[in-house]
Amino acid sequence: MGDFADDRLGTAGDDFYEALLEAHKGLSFEKSAALNARLVLILANRIGDLETLSAALTAARGSKE
Amino acid sequence: MPRYEYRRFGYTTPPELSGGRPRDYKVAIVGAGPIGLALAIDLALKGVASVVLDDNDVVSIGSRAICWAKRTLEIFDRLGVGERMVEKGITWKVGRVYHRDRELYAFDLLPEAGHKMPAFINLQQYYVEQYLVDRARDFPELVDLRFKNNVIGIENSNSGATIKLETPDGTYNLAADYVVACDGARSPIRSMLGLEFRGQLFEERFLIADIEMQADFPADRRFWFEPTFHEGESALLHKQPDDIYRIDLQLGWDADPEEEKKPEKVIPRIKAIVGERPFEIDWVSVYTFQCSRLERFVHGRVIFAGDSAHVVSPFGARGGNGGIQDVDALGWRLAAVVKGEASEGIFERYNAERVHGADENIKNSARTTNFMTPKSDMEKMMRRAVLDLAAEMPFARRLINSGRLSVPCSLERFYNRHLSAAPLPPGRVAVDAPLEKNGEDTWLLSELDAGFTLVSFGGGAGPAIAGVRHMSVGADHGDLIDRRGFALDRYGTRLSYLFRPDQHICAVFRKPTEEYVRAVVDKELGR
Ligand SMILES: Cc1cc2nc3c(=O)[nH]c(=O)nc-3n(C[C@H](O)[C@H](O)[C@H](O)COP(=O)(O)OP(=O)(O)OC[C@H]3O[C@@H](n4cnc5c(N)ncnc54)[C@H](O)[C@@H]3O)c2cc1C
């Protein structure tokens, strides 16, 4: 999990979080969930490596609901 | 511990109403809050007289600023009150963030040694104002403090501004070459000039309480998301001098501010945090916050500084600290213009720099407040994901936003970086370092206390230029000795840095010729 835990965004983290909320602004919960689903797929393709993606899935599932 | 005792500053009939002859005022400062007072002292240190007008005659009452950042303390030190504040204040540098009752992580705001001032102190605003008033009174010839002088009108022109004042003895007019509006968040001057104050209001209410209590709570800033002891979204706890603690509790938008201030509501909320320890309530308020600013801070001969120019929600301590950076940027410019050493055009640069600073403070404060107040179920879920991941994944800790605490504003965007070898680029504020001068301990910032200063690190002579001091810093010889190596490490060697009077780097040279240095200084002064 080491790789996933490391901070790669630095101070851009706040910029990203703001942009993420902005992207969701005004959407119903369902539309927001759909946006997140599309986002996951786009990011997965961008990562483009099955091994990394599998490990990411495990890491995400591992942390509690 | 005895609690702070409010004392009236007292009122004296102004000369205009006691038959004295009318005076020629260069600078009138409206508002004796931290910003107005600090500016008057800064001007006095540069030999410029000002009259300070305040409608009240007592320091700030109630729960207001407590956290003063390193840069502010450095500026206060330059003004001669920094040490007194640090001595009285509670020094801290660690912030702890909790989710429910679990600590997620802690951050250290000043992990390195070799700085005179700490990352932060907590000190009630009434002490800060009292110390500034005491200091201002060291300059009876230069600072004319007038309490119970309420500004009720203003007329702005190309050559000065005239303000109308109301006092216990009647009204009078006062004309000054420059008026600096430091009259706070509700700035009457802003309204009188019909200027718009635009921004974002947060639909959330916060209970802010100061309580007196004997406890061995740490000095650390402690912030809880979804605390177990309070049904709201967040809680914040800070320690202050005199056994006073500051508690901020998020109440939700629907909370009734009047109800929430009642002791029968407040006491159980506090008991839930502090347990069965006895405590006394010092002050309670319910606040709603906004982030707003004026479009411009300079309007002819009226210049805005502090809360009159910009306000933020308090979770990054960027309000008062941002205002003190306004003072830093304005003091030397105003002094230079009044003394005829600079052209009025340099106020445009004050405007640009501080609008930039205010935007940075607004951006950060607004993000924190948004993180604290999720506006939809999805925002809530997203924040929950961040908090859940944070326990194990450091990257998520960086996304938790419980406050991006005040840091010095960088002015790099206003300068060209012409020497890439220099560790510190122009636009950055000077980084402190312990040094030795004539066998005595000193600090770099203490030596950059007036005017433009050229410092050659690693030795070297400097050109003799009127109005520019020169000093050299060396490991074992020079005007300043860097025994412990902090300065040369931070600035590099065989480099000369030119510092503005507000301790910001404005140029870095390999060979500081008279011509180059003079050109930079002339540009700064608009000559
Ligand atoms: C709950 C809370 C917590 C905060 N915490 C922090 C913190 O931890 N750190 C931080 O840096 N900042 C903090 N702030 C912000 C900080 O209090 C302000 O930024 C600071 O007081 C601004 O100083 P100022 O001198 O610009 O204005 P003020 O302190 O508001 O002073 C304005 C002065 O102008 C006078 N005045 C007004 N109208 C007139 C008139 N017509 N004629 C003459 N005089 C007039 C007033 O009497 C007053 O003395 C906090 C604020 C709040 C509300």
Side-chain angles (χ1 to χ4, degrees):
Chain A
M1 210 178 63
D3 286 357
F4 295 117
D6 291 350
D7 176 25
R8 286 159 50 93
L9 285 166
T11 50
D14 282 355
D15 298 317
F16 167 69
Y17 200 78
E18 183 177 78
L20 183 63
L21 297 195
E22 196 55 41
H24 282 271
K25 209 169 180 173
L27 299 185
S28 67
F29 190 79
E30 197 164 291
K31 290 221 161 95
S32 259
L35 189 157
N36 277 346
R38 291 194 296 273
L39 186 61
V40 167
L41 297 175
I42 290 168
L43 293 176
N45 177 61
R46 179 73 214 204
I47 286 170
D49 173 54
L50 189 58
E51 211 175 311
T52 308
L53 290 167
S54 306
L57 287 170
T58 310
R61 272 205 80 126
S63 98
K64 67 179 160 87
E65 270 294 276
Chain B
M1 261 289 181
R3 259 193 238 172
Y4 184 80
E5 216 183 297
Y6 292 96
R7 276 193 218 98
R8 304 256 154 220
F9 291 127
Y11 161 79
T12 343
T13 306
E16 285 78 0
L17 292 173
S18 60
R21 60 193 167 87
R23 282 194 240 161
D24 169 26
Y25 297 99
K26 297 279 181 214
V27 180
I29 297 170
V30 181
I35 308 312
L37 291 166
L39 182 65
I41 298 165
D42 200 4
L43 293 175
L45 286 165
K46 295 174 169 73
V48 171
S50 64
V51 53
V52 182
L53 307 149
D54 197 278
D55 57 343
N56 210 336
D57 67 345
V58 69
V59 291
S60 164
I61 292 180
S63 307
R64 296 184 72 207
I66 55 168
C67 304
W68 304 96
K70 178 169 182 284
R71 180 60 198 150
T72 298
L73 296 171
E74 289 168 352
I75 296 166
F76 282 155
D77 201 36
R78 185 168 65 68
L79 302 182
V81 286
E83 289 180 9
R84 189 174 177 198
M85 292 190 189
V86 173
E87 207 167 289
K88 176 73 190 176
I90 300 276
T91 292
W92 64 275
K93 62 173 192 158
V94 172
R96 295 185 188 280
V97 179
Y98 302 81
H99 182 211
R100 304 199 65 74
D101 51 5
R102 175 178 187 194
E103 180 174 329
L104 292 179
Y105 75 109
F107 53 87
D108 185 336
L109 294 164
L110 188 60
E112 55 175 44
H115 297 264
K116 177 172 180 185
M117 287 296 157
F120 266 95
I121 63 163
N122 287 347
L123 183 65
Q124 295 90 321
Q125 186 161 335
Y126 40 77
Y127 278 113
V128 169
E129 292 185 11
Q130 186 209 310
Y131 294 178
L132 289 169
V133 167
D134 289 348
R135 178 67 174 140
R137 288 190 161 146
D138 289 343
F139 307 92
E141 304 296 316
L142 292 170
V143 183
D144 180 355
L145 284 174
R146 297 189 190 175
F147 296 102
K148 293 215 167 282
N149 276 243
N150 182 19
V151 174
I152 53 169
I154 184 157
E155 245 167 78
N156 197 358
S157 81
N158 289 337
S159 56
T162 304
I163 44 191
K164 184 167 189 182
L165 292 137
E166 185 182 61
T167 75
D169 295 311
T171 61
Y172 69 100
N173 286 336
L174 185 152
D177 291 356
Y178 292 93
V179 169
V180 188
C182 305
D183 51 348
R186 293 204 187 90
S187 174
I189 295 189
R190 208 173 57 212
S191 322
M192 290 177 216
L193 295 180
L195 301 172
E196 225 185 331
F197 203 50
R198 288 240 296 259
Q200 180 185 8
L201 180 90
F202 299 97
E203 297 193 339
E204 180 62 87
R205 297 187 203 282
F206 293 87
L207 178 79
I208 309 236
D210 285 316
I211 62 164
E212 187 180 349
M213 162 179 84
Q214 298 287 331
D216 50 1
F217 288 0
D220 306 345
R221 174 189 201 258
R222 292 197 284 167
F223 192 103
W224 289 263
F225 286 102
E226 300 171 7
T228 47
F229 49 77
H230 168 62
E231 80 272 22
E233 290 281 350
S234 78
L236 175 61
L237 183 65
H238 268 293
K239 186 177 189 163
Q240 306 169 62
D242 302 348
D243 295 318
I244 307 265
Y245 289 84
R246 163 72 53 90
I247 297 169
D248 296 12
L249 293 175
Q250 212 172 320
L251 296 177
W253 183 230
D254 296 331
D256 176 345
E258 287 315 310
E259 268 311 293
E260 291 294 344
K261 273 191 278 194
K262 292 187 175 156
E264 62 264 32
K265 282 288 269 185
V266 176
I267 289 169
R269 291 198 188 283
I270 294 173
K271 270 196 179 152
I273 307 171
V274 306
E276 283 312 308
R277 273 182 202 88
F279 64 85
E280 262 182 70
I281 296 176
D282 189 39
W283 198 269
V284 178
S285 351
V286 173
Y287 279 100
T288 298
F289 296 113
Q290 59 165 320
C291 284
S292 304
R293 71 162 168 85
L294 280 172
E295 194 183 329
R296 286 177 50 79
F297 299 170
V298 178
H299 291 267
R301 292 299 183 98
V302 181
I303 302 173
F304 290 81
D307 275 12
S308 67
H310 44 73
V311 293
V312 292
S313 49
F315 302 99
R318 287 169 178 265
N321 287 300
I324 294 296
Q325 290 185 37
D326 295 347
V327 172
D328 211 20
L330 180 59
W332 65 275
R333 291 188 166 106
L334 186 51
V337 169
V338 165
K339 290 198 251 179
E341 296 165 2
S343 77
E344 210 177 5
I346 64 172
F347 294 131
E348 275 311 307
R349 186 60 177 269
Y350 163 76
N351 180 65
E353 288 181 3
R354 294 315 301 158
V355 162
H356 166 61
D359 280 344
E360 202 173 271
N361 290 332
I362 286 172
K363 182 174 84 180
N364 281 290
S365 305
R367 282 173 174 176
T368 301
T369 316
N370 283 326
F371 194 84
M372 291 168 63
T373 56
K375 277 158 211 65
S376 66
D377 287 343
M378 183 53 81
E379 282 195 18
K380 244 181 225 145
M381 184 175 272
M382 223 94 80
R383 190 180 77 174
R384 192 56 196 267
V386 171
L387 294 170
D388 283 343
L389 289 173
E392 274 143 45
M393 300 200 178
F395 92 86
R397 291 172 201 164
R398 286 232 35 163
L399 296 175
I400 298 179
N401 197 334
S402 75
R404 300 289 180 240
L405 289 149
S406 175
V407 287
C409 175
S410 169
L411 305 177
E412 278 170 77
R413 63 157 61 184
F414 297 99
Y415 290 93
N416 295 323
R417 179 167 193 161
H418 45 268
L419 241 184
S420 58
L424 290 168
R428 220 58 99 63
V429 74
V431 179
D432 207 0
L435 295 167
E436 211 179 277
K437 183 180 170 184
N438 306 325
E440 306 263 345
D441 288 339
T442 184
W443 295 91
L444 178 61
L445 290 187
S446 311
E447 301 301 321
L448 303 177
D449 62 344
F452 285 88
T453 310
L454 182 69
V455 184
S456 300
F457 291 88
I465 302 169
V468 181
R469 285 188 309 158
H470 176 262
M471 16 195 190
S472 61
V473 174
D476 41 33
H477 63 275
D479 304 312
L480 299 164
I481 311 292
D482 186 23
R483 292 240 185 273
R484 297 163 64 194
F486 282 107
L488 297 177
D489 198 45
R490 287 172 184 164
Y491 290 87
T493 53
R494 287 189 296 279
L495 290 169
S496 293
Y497 288 71
L498 181 64
F499 296 95
R500 305 193 321 199
D502 60 1
Q503 305 178 328
H504 285 70
I505 299 164
C506 57
V508 188
F509 309 91
R510 281 239 183 266
K511 286 209 169 58
T513 65
E514 178 178 346
E515 193 190 346
Y516 278 162
V517 176
R518 198 191 291 280
V520 176
V521 172
D522 282 347
K523 191 165 172 217
E524 290 288 343
L525 294 174
R527 307 192 284 217

